[in-house]
Amino acid sequence: MGKNNKRIDSPDNINYTGANELEKILLLKALRIMLLARSIDNKAMNLLRQGRTFFHVAGSGHEAIQVAVGLSLQSKKDWFFPYYRDIALVLAIGVTPVEFFLQCFAKADDPASGGKQLSCHWSSRSLNLPTQSSPTGTQFLNAVGVALAGVKKGEKYITFVSSGEGTTSQGEFHEAINWASREKLPVLFLIENNKYAISVHVQQQSGGRDNSISAMMSGYENLYTARIDGTDFYESYSTVQEAIDHIEAGKGPALIEAEVVRLQSHSSSDDQKKYRDKDELEADLKKCPIEKLSKKLIAEGILSTEEYEDLKKETTEEINNAADAAYKAKDPIPEVADKFVYDESALKDSLEYEKSQFSGKTVVMVDAINHALDEEMEKNDKMYIFGEDIADAKGGVFAATKGLSSKYGNDRVFNSPLAEASIVGVATGMALAGLKPVIEIQFGDYIWPAFMQYKSEIASMRYRSNNEWSAPVVTRVAVGGYIHGGLYHSQNIESIFAHVPGIYIAYPSNAADAKGLLKTACRLNDPVIFCEHKGLYRQSFAVSPSPDSEYLIPFGKAKVVREGNDITVVSYGLSLWDSVFAAKKLEDEGYSVEVIDIRTIIPLDEETIFNSVRKTNKIIVIHEDTFTAGFGAEIAARIADNCFQFLDGPVKRIAAKDAHIPYSPFLENTILPTRELIYKRIKELIEY
């Protein structure tokens, strides 16, 4: 794997005059790709100055190490997570200049995104090049996930991932190195150190010896590290070969710190002359990798001066022609602007829902969840479960995964590091590689380190790749209060994630719904946040007869729990049960209360809610999340927009106070809505 070409010896030992034909072909190919990349940089900046494009990130000065990697790894077999400056690398593995300019001009036929993603954000399904986002560092854990998936599937490939040195200040970089090193995963990390993260020098970034990234990582036993001159193609290529040998021998991942030069500003929006000395910029020009390689080839008789000049003209002409062709391509039409936020295939509608029988045996909600996971694991051998403490003998802090690692083995059900971004980022990579990760985040309160992975990777994956890539990760997460868990074991998270397009959110209130919704989540092609109220896990009123192994509940279908005529109550989770008990009490007083359990936050079943409002003419929305910007506010707004003419009273909400949830039960009951408060407010609106 990896070595398409004969190894070039180290630059100290190479006999340039004795280079064989294969080496000459490799060297000339490398130079040509480097010239194409440089011509693209120059052309893109000219187009931007002409007002014909909007953004560019130049790779000038980085070309040698990028081409060395691109010509060493196997396109269409190995996987690639480059960063936005890696134009030479993506050209080396098969991205064409025309494809670059289709994205540069944001054309409809842009194969990377259909005009949805910024220029220099690569994507190609055929090249194993997943769609790239803009946040620096999120790609590291995704790459580890793809590598882990290969190990799980028994496939042999290398996963490449790169960034600049500034990104190594991100925690997810360190988490990725830790995970890959611990499990000896086949990952090639490349850090292209041009000493500037926009304007911030590496001295203000890295705590490694001599501000070295590789030195900072030297404590990892299984990690190959090297610090090289990344402007020298010979040294770069030789080091990449050594790194590949280390990886292919099963010794672990490799990290190459390539010292390069940034010959243009950080991006088209930057001017490096404002913060870099003139002498430093001139010194960098003398380290130009193209000049270095071309001079060596000319000096050793591999290339004549005239041939070099012809090659420069040829590549410039090729880039000009590619830009002209791309500019003439059609622009995207407005109708596609909101396409592919979610899966638009027929899969979701093809599933058979609520078709099966219930057994006589009742189960509590946590056991129903366990049964759903067990059944789906048996049905789908691509499904993997992991998270903190989820393997036996612990089986999860709430025992929701008890027995699963014993039954399916530690290969498919395993403990993760105590790092939420790692859990979600690695799961994302596994999903990209075709597996079905179902992960557990112990408490909703601790999901926030992973929020970048959800918002910037999982949620936008399908949209930004124009339906080429998706990451249908299922996240089980315990949420909710009323258990005296204090500030950090009581949070509700649904309203925050509801603001992120591209993720479905389920929030069941009973055992049967939990099982049916979770099984559906495991079969969908979209990512799902599955909220499990820990106060309902073993609650007697949330038990239900156990559905069989084919029981599915559709997302976006609410359930009318109690029918009534005087008022509609919309709720979910534990608050649903407080609403039911209030409705029963009001029924004894002669009032008729309709109670709706929405079951999924996203998608929301508006039709069931609106039909009920048209019947009862009054509505109150109840949940335990905060009042301000809780999801009830969204429901209330939609009712006001669509049902105003049917209302005989204001649209009311009951929710927690806008405060943190305290530990004392006396204080907690002041913050969270109580059953007595819910009864009182429903009655007040009935009598309005």
Side-chain angles (χ1 to χ4, degrees):
M1 185 196 315
K3 294 182 283 295
N4 291 326
N5 308 287
K6 182 178 177 182
R7 181 193 303 277
I8 295 180
D9 294 329
S10 70
D12 295 331
N13 300 327
I14 190 167
N15 178 8
Y16 300 113
T17 56
N20 62 35
E21 285 304 310
L22 188 61
E23 289 173 345
K24 290 179 181 179
I25 292 170
L26 172 68
L27 292 166
L28 292 173
K29 183 176 182 181
L31 180 61
R32 189 178 193 283
I33 295 171
M34 291 162 69
L35 285 169
L36 284 172
R38 186 67 62 86
S39 294
I40 284 177
D41 280 345
N42 295 334
K43 183 68 174 181
M45 291 303 295
N46 285 335
L47 291 169
L48 194 139
R49 284 188 283 269
Q50 295 167 9
R52 297 167 72 188
T53 60
F54 315 105
F55 179 77
H56 183 66
V57 179
S60 297
H62 290 231
E63 295 96 343
I65 182 60
Q66 291 179 13
V67 174
V69 171
L71 295 181
S72 297
L73 295 176
Q74 294 190 58
S75 177
K76 300 183 180 181
K77 179 179 181 182
D78 295 326
W79 285 69
F80 299 89
F81 287 83
Y83 85 126
Y84 42 69
R85 211 174 295 282
D86 282 352
I87 176 62
L89 182 138
V90 299
L91 289 173
I93 66 172
V95 173
T96 69
V98 171
E99 289 171 339
F100 169 84
F101 284 108
L102 285 170
Q103 187 179 54
C104 191
F105 290 121
K107 294 296 183 176
D109 293 332
D110 158 32
S113 72
K116 292 177 177 176
Q117 178 62 306
L118 277 173
S119 180
C120 304
H121 288 63
W122 329 107
S123 177
S124 172
R125 168 66 71 175
S126 65
L127 298 176
N128 289 340
L129 177 61
T131 173
Q132 183 189 341
S133 64
S134 293
T136 55
T138 50
Q139 72 272 24
F140 284 114
L141 287 168
N142 301 165
V144 170
V146 167
L148 182 60
V151 172
K152 299 290 185 185
K153 294 188 291 185
E155 299 176 359
K156 292 187 179 296
Y157 54 75
I158 291 175
T159 304
F160 165 84
V161 60
S162 64
S163 81
E165 82 289 341
T167 300
T168 64
S169 295
Q170 294 283 333
E172 291 185 19
F173 165 72
H174 295 264
E175 291 182 31
I177 293 286
N178 181 57
W179 192 312
S181 299
R182 190 187 73 252
E183 298 199 25
K184 296 185 178 180
L185 296 177
V187 184
L188 174 56
F189 295 89
L190 172 63
I191 305 304
E192 299 170 43
N193 186 350
N194 62 30
K195 296 184 173 57
Y196 282 92
I198 305 185
S199 67
V200 181
H201 196 269
V202 69
Q203 292 177 348
Q204 297 171 278
Q205 293 280 357
S206 174
R209 184 177 61 257
D210 191 28
N211 308 123
S212 167
I213 311 307
S214 57
M216 184 168 60
M217 298 291 104
S218 61
Y220 287 96
E221 181 179 4
N222 301 317
L223 180 69
Y224 168 98
T225 59
R227 187 182 187 186
I228 65 169
D229 179 359
T231 66
D232 187 307
F233 178 77
Y234 294 91
E235 183 177 354
S236 296
Y237 189 86
S238 176
T239 305
V240 171
Q241 298 298 308
E242 291 177 5
I244 289 172
D245 286 345
H246 175 87
I247 293 169
E248 291 185 332
K251 295 179 180 179
L255 182 145
I256 298 173
E257 178 184 7
E259 295 185 326
V260 294
V261 288
R262 198 182 76 190
L263 299 182
Q264 295 195 34
S265 297
H266 167 73
S267 73
S268 54
S269 303
D270 177 46
D271 180 3
Q272 63 182 354
K273 293 178 182 178
K274 293 181 178 180
Y275 52 83
R276 296 186 66 184
D277 293 335
K278 180 181 179 182
D279 291 344
E280 182 186 56
L281 292 171
E282 290 178 351
D284 276 1
L285 281 172
K286 295 176 182 178
K287 299 176 184 177
C288 171
I290 295 177
E291 289 298 305
K292 278 188 175 183
L293 180 57
S294 61
K295 285 179 179 178
K296 283 184 178 179
L297 297 183
I298 292 170
E300 300 304 330
I302 296 173
L303 182 73
S304 69
T305 303
E306 292 77 12
E307 288 171 331
Y308 179 49
E309 292 301 320
D310 288 344
L311 185 59
K312 287 196 292 184
K313 291 177 183 177
E314 176 192 324
T315 52
T316 299
E317 183 178 1
E318 180 177 345
I319 295 310
N320 287 336
N321 291 339
D324 291 343
Y327 187 72
K328 296 173 184 176
K330 60 186 177 183
D331 295 316
I333 58 175
E335 288 78 7
V336 304
D338 60 353
K339 282 187 69 64
F340 304 127
V341 176
Y342 297 95
D343 179 26
E344 296 183 15
S345 74
L347 174 67
K348 185 172 66 171
D349 297 329
S350 70
L351 299 175
E352 294 187 67
Y353 297 108
E354 300 175 299
K355 67 170 185 174
S356 54
Q357 299 296 315
F358 286 64
S359 71
K361 182 181 179 181
T362 60
V363 291
V364 295
M365 195 166 92
V366 71
D367 288 345
I369 289 167
N370 180 275
H371 298 165
L373 293 171
D374 184 7
E375 292 163 5
E376 292 304 302
M377 285 287 285
E378 186 170 349
K379 181 181 180 65
N380 183 4
D381 62 5
K382 293 183 178 180
M383 181 169 152
Y384 288 77
I385 296 175
F386 61 99
E388 298 164 18
D389 299 300
I390 62 96
D392 294 328
K394 183 71 175 175
V397 293
F398 298 103
T401 54
K402 187 77 172 175
L404 297 181
S405 66
S406 297
K407 181 174 181 179
Y408 296 100
N410 291 324
D411 182 58
R412 289 187 64 197
V413 182
F414 54 93
N415 289 329
S416 71
L418 199 158
E420 287 75 17
S422 288
I423 297 169
V424 179
V426 168
T428 302
M430 293 175 72
L432 289 172
L435 299 182
K436 184 67 177 185
V438 178
I439 58 176
E440 177 179 303
I441 301 294
Q442 278 186 355
F443 293 92
D445 315 67
Y446 304 131
I447 202 169
W448 308 119
F451 191 72
M452 178 72 89
Q453 286 291 336
Y454 285 112
K455 178 68 174 69
S456 298
E457 296 298 341
I458 287 179
S460 65
M461 192 76 66
R462 185 184 297 279
Y463 179 80
R464 71 175 191 250
S465 68
N466 209 28
N467 204 38
E468 284 295 309
W469 297 94
S470 63
V473 177
V474 177
T475 303
R476 294 180 42 254
V477 54
V479 299
Y482 301 102
I483 62 164
H484 320 312
L487 282 70
Y488 300 107
H489 296 83
S490 305
Q491 293 177 26
N492 280 277
I493 63 173
E494 72 275 7
S495 64
I496 295 175
F497 280 96
H499 193 66
V500 181
I503 297 178
Y504 283 147
I505 305 169
Y507 201 144
S509 65
N510 61 77
D513 285 359
K515 183 175 184 181
L517 287 168
L518 182 54
K519 288 173 70 66
T520 300
C522 292
R523 300 189 192 187
L524 294 177
N525 278 338
D526 286 301
V528 176
I529 300 286
F530 196 84
C531 298
E532 302 169 6
H533 199 297
K534 45 194 175 289
L536 292 175
Y537 272 145
R538 292 178 174 82
Q539 187 60 255
S540 59
F541 50 73
V543 303
S544 66
S546 180
D548 67 21
S549 62
E550 288 304 314
Y551 183 68
L552 306 176
I553 293 177
F555 276 48
K557 183 179 179 181
K559 181 179 181 180
V560 179
V561 178
R562 291 177 63 89
E563 293 192 0
N565 298 303
D566 294 331
I567 192 171
T568 298
V569 175
V570 174
S571 191
Y572 54 91
L574 186 57
S575 294
L576 181 279
W577 289 104
D578 289 336
S579 302
V580 167
F581 294 134
K584 289 179 178 178
K585 185 175 180 180
L586 288 162
E587 184 178 36
D588 294 338
E589 298 175 19
Y591 299 107
S592 176
V593 180
E594 182 146 299
V595 180
I596 296 174
D597 182 355
I598 61 174
R599 303 200 289 193
T600 60
I601 309 295
I602 304 293
L604 177 66
D605 182 358
E606 295 180 330
E607 183 180 0
T608 297
I609 296 171
F610 296 166
N611 286 341
S612 182
V613 173
R614 295 184 186 104
K615 178 175 66 172
T616 67
N617 309 118
K618 290 181 179 178
I619 188 162
I620 189 166
V621 185
I622 303 171
H623 58 67
E624 75 175 81
D625 197 7
T626 54
F627 184 85
T628 299
F631 193 70
E634 177 65 26
I635 297 174
R638 296 191 191 189
I639 293 166
D641 279 348
N642 293 276
C643 301
F644 181 79
Q645 65 271 37
F646 300 102
L647 292 169
D648 291 338
V651 180
K652 302 294 287 185
R653 287 180 287 148
I654 302 174
K657 295 181 184 296
D658 291 339
H660 303 289
I661 301 173
Y663 173 52
S664 162
F666 300 102
L667 298 177
E668 182 183 41
N669 287 337
T670 303
I671 299 299
L672 296 176
T674 62
R675 194 170 296 175
E676 182 60 30
L677 175 67
I678 289 171
Y679 158 78
K680 180 181 177 182
R681 293 285 177 81
I682 295 174
K683 186 173 182 179
E684 287 175 355
L685 186 55
I686 291 174
E687 296 177 343
Y688 175 83

